[in-house]
Amino acid sequence: MPDIVVVDDLSKTYPNGHSALAGVSLAIREGEILALLGPNGAGKSTLISTICGIVTATSGTVTVGGHDTRTAFRAARSLIGLVPQELTIEPFETVRATVEFSRGLFGKPPAPAVVERVLRDLSLWDRRDSQIRTLSGGMKRRVMIAKALAHEPRILFLDEPTAGVDVELRRDMWAVVRRLADTGVTIILTTHYIEEAEAIAERVGVIAKGRILLVEDKDQLMQKLGQKELRVELQTAVPALPAEIAREGLSLSEDGGTVIYVYDRRGERTGITRLLSDLAAAGLTLRDISTRQSSLEDIFVDLVKENT
Amino acid sequence: MNWYAVRAIYRYEMARTARTLTQSVISPVLSTVLYFVVFGAAIGQRIDQVEGIDYGSFIVPGLIMLSLLTQAVSNASFGIFFPKFVGTIYELLSAPVSHWEIVLGYVGAAATKALVIGVIILATAGLFVELRIAHPFAMIAFLLLTCITFALLGFVIGIVAGNFEQLQLVPLLIITPMVFLGGSFYSISMLPPFWQTVTLFNPVVYLISGFRWSFYEVADVNVAVSFGMILLFLALCITAIWWIFRTGYKIRS
């Protein structure tokens, strides 16, 4: 798929000397869901704000749909919808009025049918004439999404869409994101919840200290970096591992009841067959065996640790 | 030109006025009526004519200017300050709008409101005193230019202000005294010579003088000078806004 957003060597240094972005390059494919994962203060929001025109970059370029965000800002920005992290919304406006306002602001003629569809999709239609201050937090967040979608953008940026949102609402939000992606909108979301990236992203970018550490297909990333863990439960606990079966990646649980073997499933030989036969030869009786794929969280923690 | 955006901002701001009708329209009108009652009816009866005009009629242009200036400044400054304050400015900054389109929307709405209030006050004044407008076109020109210029000034204040206190400070501490001391209620010729000279440094003197001239053909300073001064202000405000947007001062990091 062609790239719809291309970020090239983008840097942002604030006047106080703080470097929020240090040479970020990133290509976002049309129609994908990309999660930018990183700890607080990693530069996620600055990156999004710079692409959307709220922050002026110190150096580097961004093109959106082929339009440079500085020289052709109108063309670039009209393709983008932005939902910022904070619930910043005019409290006294009605839902419909604020969504219509956003559509106009982005240069689109009034279209009641579009506004109605957006509000219906986000289950806000029944509250269309309510003042925003009367809505619940989750609804306010959906109003912000509605505002961002009012001008029918091709790209939607969601900055921490589920920060401070309860579990049920989070799943609700994910469903909204998936539905949007199905309509062909490219979605970029930032999060520090790995669970979120794992649940909805197609690709994952890891960002820390203003640098992109990697961008990979989520499945490939998990497969490539994913180590597997084999847990062998013993019939009877042992005080220590017999010396003859000791090898790299092998350890004993604290209670002595489980042998844990961490292996790389990419490797030609995982060493499982050998281990199992060695266990048997050492006279240990097995009760149960299970394997576990390491999660994105493990990968993430490792990456950030390595690079900071 | 993104006219839909200009229209959206303009309508949004006008809707805000409609929501706060009491505060936006009724209160300036009420305070003007009180001025008429106090200065025109109660005190005015004991004051002779000023430059051949009844005192009640004489103060009308100044009273209109008083409301016009405060309303234009406060509406425009609040209009742009509020999004900054609640954070909704992100939307303006990420939208495909140019700076001048934003200015046009906010300043246009603030100027419109001030104009409407000015006209209402003029009509109200007509109920109390005898009005004569010698140069209606000049009057409309002064009215429009003042609304626009001070709405621009308000826009600048709204951007520069860091909190609500600063937002109130300029109208309260600068504009109101300037209007009161700018000959709203008296002719400058009534002042001692020294203060007459000092007064000439007050820009509002030129506005009120020119505006009053368009009513009664009496002026403290030449009407052409008045006209030149308001154009100069307009240019100053536009320059200030141009600089703010060029440097991103207090809006874009």
Side-chain angles (χ1 to χ4, degrees):
Chain A
M1 256 183 272
D3 294 334
I4 193 158
V5 177
V6 179
V7 178
D8 187 30
D9 200 20
L10 199 66
S11 291
K12 174 65 185 177
T13 308
Y14 285 101
N16 63 13
H18 172 64
S19 170
L21 296 176
V24 169
S25 294
L26 175 68
I28 298 162
R29 297 172 194 155
E30 180 149 23
E32 74 172 338
I33 304 179
L34 173 72
L36 287 173
L37 195 58
N40 290 320
K44 305 185 296 284
S45 293
T46 308
L47 177 58
I48 284 193
S49 298
T50 312
I51 296 172
C52 295
I54 294 168
V55 170
T56 313
T58 312
S59 64
T61 57
V62 179
T63 59
V64 178
H67 310 287
D68 187 291
T69 52
R70 279 196 200 178
T71 55
F73 76 94
R74 281 184 203 272
R77 289 186 198 168
S78 53
L79 297 176
I80 296 178
L82 167 66
V83 184
Q85 183 175 351
E86 307 283 333
L87 269 178
T88 46
I89 192 157
E90 158 74 73
F92 303 109
E93 275 282 359
T94 66
V95 172
R96 179 155 50 180
T98 197
V99 173
E100 284 170 349
F101 169 78
S102 299
R103 183 172 169 87
L105 198 60
F106 277 76
K108 289 284 175 75
V114 174
V115 171
E116 180 175 343
R117 180 171 52 74
V118 169
L119 289 179
R120 282 193 190 280
D121 283 352
L122 291 161
S123 321
L124 288 166
W125 183 245
D126 292 341
R127 302 299 301 270
R128 61 191 176 276
D129 294 320
S130 303
Q131 276 198 346
I132 287 158
R133 66 192 173 91
T134 65
L135 302 181
S136 68
M139 279 192 161
K140 282 183 188 147
R141 208 170 274 276
R142 287 209 300 267
V143 173
M144 295 191 63
I145 297 180
K147 280 167 75 70
L149 291 173
H151 64 284
E152 303 158 274
R154 283 168 61 198
I155 308 154
L156 183 68
F157 285 92
L158 295 158
D159 197 358
E160 303 270 356
T162 61
V165 162
D166 67 38
V167 179
E168 198 181 336
L169 214 53
R170 187 174 303 163
R171 298 197 181 282
D172 192 37
M173 200 65 70
W174 292 348
V176 168
V177 169
R178 284 199 200 95
R179 275 208 307 276
L180 283 172
D182 288 342
T183 64
V185 178
T186 307
I187 294 168
I188 298 95
L189 62 100
T190 69
T191 182
H192 57 264
Y193 298 118
I194 288 131
E195 188 197 3
E196 187 156 284
E198 207 165 350
I200 54 175
E202 288 160 9
R203 282 203 307 159
V204 176
V206 178
I207 180 166
K209 297 221 161 164
R211 290 173 196 283
I212 297 262
L213 304 180
L214 66 85
V215 185
E216 294 261 7
D217 282 352
K218 181 184 69 187
D219 296 338
Q220 274 178 19
L221 178 68
M222 306 246 318
Q223 205 169 38
K224 188 162 136 194
L225 293 177
Q227 289 182 310
K228 284 198 92 167
E229 197 178 83
L230 174 72
R231 297 175 74 91
V232 181
E233 250 179 78
L234 303 176
Q235 197 68 48
T236 45
V238 291
L241 281 175
E244 65 267 27
I245 64 165
R247 67 199 65 199
E248 203 185 331
L250 194 69
S251 59
L252 188 68
S253 66
E254 245 170 60
D255 61 7
T258 312
V259 174
I260 301 159
Y261 178 55
V262 178
Y263 64 98
D264 193 340
R265 59 178 283 186
R266 284 171 300 157
E268 292 239 322
R269 290 166 191 278
T270 56
I272 294 173
T273 321
R274 172 86 69 80
L275 175 69
L276 291 180
S277 59
D278 285 357
L279 284 173
L284 298 169
T285 317
L286 315 185
R287 189 162 68 183
D288 198 6
I289 289 181
S290 65
T291 64
R292 190 178 78 90
Q293 173 108 39
S294 62
S295 70
L296 205 48
E297 179 145 12
D298 307 326
I299 299 169
F300 175 69
V301 169
D302 287 349
L303 257 177
V304 173
K305 227 185 270 168
E306 263 170 48
N307 286 277
T308 51
Chain B
M1 192 76 183
N2 184 350
W3 285 109
Y4 288 118
V6 176
R7 200 178 78 141
I9 296 171
Y10 185 89
R11 283 179 51 156
Y12 171 85
E13 282 296 293
M14 296 311 277
R16 190 163 61 78
T17 314
R19 273 203 304 270
T20 54
L21 202 64
T22 324
Q23 185 195 330
S24 311
V25 179
I26 298 176
S27 87
V29 171
L30 182 69
S31 62
T32 313
V33 170
L34 291 174
Y35 279 120
F36 274 120
V37 172
V38 174
F39 287 95
I43 299 176
Q45 281 175 349
R46 288 156 197 267
I47 297 178
D48 281 343
Q49 290 188 329
V50 180
E51 304 197 15
I53 300 151
D54 279 338
Y55 186 68
S57 308
F58 181 81
I59 62 171
V60 171
L63 276 180
I64 294 174
M65 277 291 169
L66 175 66
S67 292
L68 219 60
L69 262 54
T70 14
Q71 287 300 316
V73 167
S74 65
N75 277 315
S77 61
F78 189 80
I80 188 69
F81 178 79
F82 195 63
K84 247 179 36 163
F85 180 71
V86 294
T88 49
I89 194 153
Y90 82 87
E91 206 178 9
L92 276 179
L93 296 178
S94 64
V97 290
S98 74
H99 302 138
W100 295 110
E101 286 156 4
I102 296 176
V103 172
L104 203 59
Y106 280 104
V107 169
T112 308
K113 278 184 244 180
L115 188 69
V116 168
I117 288 165
V119 171
I120 293 176
I121 290 172
L122 185 64
T124 315
L127 301 175
F128 289 85
V129 293
E130 188 192 336
L131 282 181
R132 181 165 60 87
I133 302 172
H135 302 283
F137 288 109
M139 189 210 70
I140 290 166
F142 270 112
L143 215 55
L144 279 177
L145 282 172
T146 308
C147 289
I148 294 167
T149 306
F150 281 78
L152 285 167
L153 177 66
F155 189 85
V156 173
I157 294 168
I159 284 183
V160 174
N163 52 47
F164 271 105
E165 199 190 0
Q166 289 173 7
L167 193 69
Q168 306 286 359
L169 218 58
V170 175
L172 204 66
L173 293 187
I174 300 175
I175 299 198
T176 312
M178 279 203 316
V179 181
F180 271 89
L181 302 175
S184 296
F185 300 109
Y186 54 85
S187 165
I188 291 171
S189 59
M190 294 157 84
L191 296 173
F194 171 74
W195 290 106
Q196 284 192 26
T197 315
V198 172
T199 298
L200 291 179
F201 288 96
N202 179 354
V204 176
V205 165
Y206 301 91
L207 297 181
I208 293 178
S209 167
F211 195 49
R212 188 177 285 139
W213 174 84
S214 66
F215 281 78
Y216 309 122
E217 293 187 298
V218 295
D220 292 321
V221 290
N222 189 304
V223 66
V225 176
S226 290
F227 213 71
M229 285 301 271
I230 188 150
L231 290 179
L232 179 69
F233 274 142
L234 187 68
L236 280 176
C237 291
I238 290 175
T239 312
I241 290 176
W242 171 81
W243 179 83
I244 284 171
F245 279 131
R246 203 180 64 99
T247 57
Y249 181 72
K250 292 223 179 179
I251 24 179
R252 229 183 213 105
S253 57

